[in-house]
């Protein structure tokens, strides 16, 4: 028996292909949506993890900032304590300077030189006095410059000729002078003395260990 298909088979095949395409398109869309969802969830998880790291870093930074402030406060306190210590040491080292000043000034005054006034301002000393001649003033300057470890950089400010009446008929010419000089701190005076003492001890030790001494 011969069967004859009178239905529009081409239309049916076209409809079948269209249905298959629609199904595959829907499956592809579903798979794409699932993949997009998974990617979105992965990004959200990474963002959440990064935010957690950021919060941890911010908390640690706040802790470090507090520690830095504490360290800065400690450093300022240490600097203040060092300044106080230095001030106390300076006072202790300078408390004997007036004594050295008077003793050395008496030692270095040449004959015929008299000091009328003396004013100390820190390390600066202003001397005002009378000398029998200008040569005596020059000698005083040399003594203050070369012969005393307690004085440095003497400077002649003024020298003026004058006269002094020793008796009604005995009037002598004198030189009125003003001198500025620097006082040397105790530690600066002690260092050369310590160096010279160590040099003497080294020389004695070398002499004792030499073959000639034996």
């Amino acid at each position: 028996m011969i069967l004859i298909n009178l239905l529009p088979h081409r239309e049916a095949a076209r409809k079948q292909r269209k249905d298959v395409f629609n199904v595959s398109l829907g499956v592809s869309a579903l798979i794409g949506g699932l993949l997009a969802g998974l990617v979105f969830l992965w990004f959200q998880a990474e963002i959440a993890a990064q935010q957690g790291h950021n919060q941890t870093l911010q908390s640690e930074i706040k802790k470090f900032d507090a520690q830095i402030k504490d360290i800065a406060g400690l450093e300022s306190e240490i600097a203040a304590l060092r300044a106080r210590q230095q001030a106390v040491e300076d006072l202790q080292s300078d408390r004997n300077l007036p004594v050295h000043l008077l003793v050395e000034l008496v030692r270095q005054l040449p004959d015929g030189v008299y000091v009328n006034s003396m004013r100390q301002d820190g390390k600066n000393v202003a001397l005002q006095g009378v000398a029998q001649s200008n040569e005596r003033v020059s000698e005083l300057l040399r003594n203050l410059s070369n012969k005393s470890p307690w004085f440095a950089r003497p400077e002649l400010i003024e020298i003026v000729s004058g006269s002094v009446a020793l008796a009604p008929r005995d009037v002598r010419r004198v030189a009125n002078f003003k001198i500025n000089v620097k006082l040397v701190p105790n530690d600066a005076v002690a260092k050369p003395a310590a160096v010279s003492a160590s040099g003497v001890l080294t020389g004695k030790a070398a002499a004792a260990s030499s073959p000639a001494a034996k």
Side-chain angles (χ1 to χ4, degrees):
M1 176 183 234
I2 300 173
L3 296 177
I4 300 172
N5 187 6
L6 300 176
L7 295 174
H9 62 90
R10 294 178 180 174
E11 295 292 333
R14 188 180 296 110
K15 182 180 180 182
Q16 185 179 3
R17 289 195 299 270
K18 187 177 181 181
D19 291 339
V20 171
F21 176 76
N22 290 332
V23 170
S24 62
L25 184 62
V27 172
S28 299
L30 180 62
I31 293 173
L34 291 175
L35 291 176
L38 292 175
V39 172
F40 176 76
L41 292 176
W42 181 76
F43 276 116
Q44 288 296 113
E46 290 294 325
I47 292 172
Q50 187 62 42
Q51 288 178 349
H53 290 310
N54 292 340
Q55 290 179 355
T56 303
L57 290 175
Q58 289 178 356
S59 62
E60 294 295 329
I61 288 171
K62 289 180 179 179
K63 292 180 181 179
F64 283 127
D65 289 339
Q67 293 177 358
I68 289 172
K69 290 181 180 179
D70 293 338
I71 292 173
L74 290 175
E75 289 180 350
S76 61
E77 292 179 1
I78 291 172
L81 290 175
R82 287 179 178 175
R84 293 177 185 175
Q85 181 181 1
Q86 187 63 38
V88 172
E89 291 177 356
D90 292 340
L91 289 175
Q92 290 179 349
S93 62
D94 294 343
R95 64 182 178 180
N96 296 326
L97 277 180
V99 177
H100 294 300
L101 169 61
L102 295 175
V103 172
E104 285 296 314
L105 187 59
V106 171
R107 288 178 181 175
Q108 304 306 328
L109 280 179
D111 294 336
V113 178
Y114 306 92
V115 175
N116 295 330
S117 67
M118 178 177 61
R119 186 178 69 255
Q120 180 184 358
D121 183 11
K123 299 296 188 298
N124 300 318
V125 179
L127 302 175
Q128 186 173 354
V130 180
Q132 292 180 354
S133 63
N134 295 341
E135 288 76 12
R136 300 290 186 181
V137 178
S138 299
E139 184 179 357
L140 174 60
L141 290 172
R142 288 193 297 270
N143 292 345
L144 295 177
S145 178
N146 302 324
K147 294 185 178 181
S148 176
W150 295 98
F151 295 108
R153 290 182 291 172
E155 181 182 4
L156 179 62
I157 302 301
E158 183 184 30
I159 183 168
V160 179
S161 298
S163 60
V164 175
L166 300 179
R169 295 183 180 180
D170 188 4
V171 178
R172 297 185 181 181
R173 297 183 63 82
V174 294
N176 299 309
F177 64 87
K178 292 181 181 179
I179 294 175
N180 288 344
V181 67
K182 299 284 186 180
L183 271 177
V184 179
N186 288 342
D187 53 354
V189 176
K191 286 180 181 178
V195 171
S196 62
S198 62
V200 171
L201 292 176
T202 304
K204 288 183 179 179
S209 60
S210 63
K214 294 179 180 181

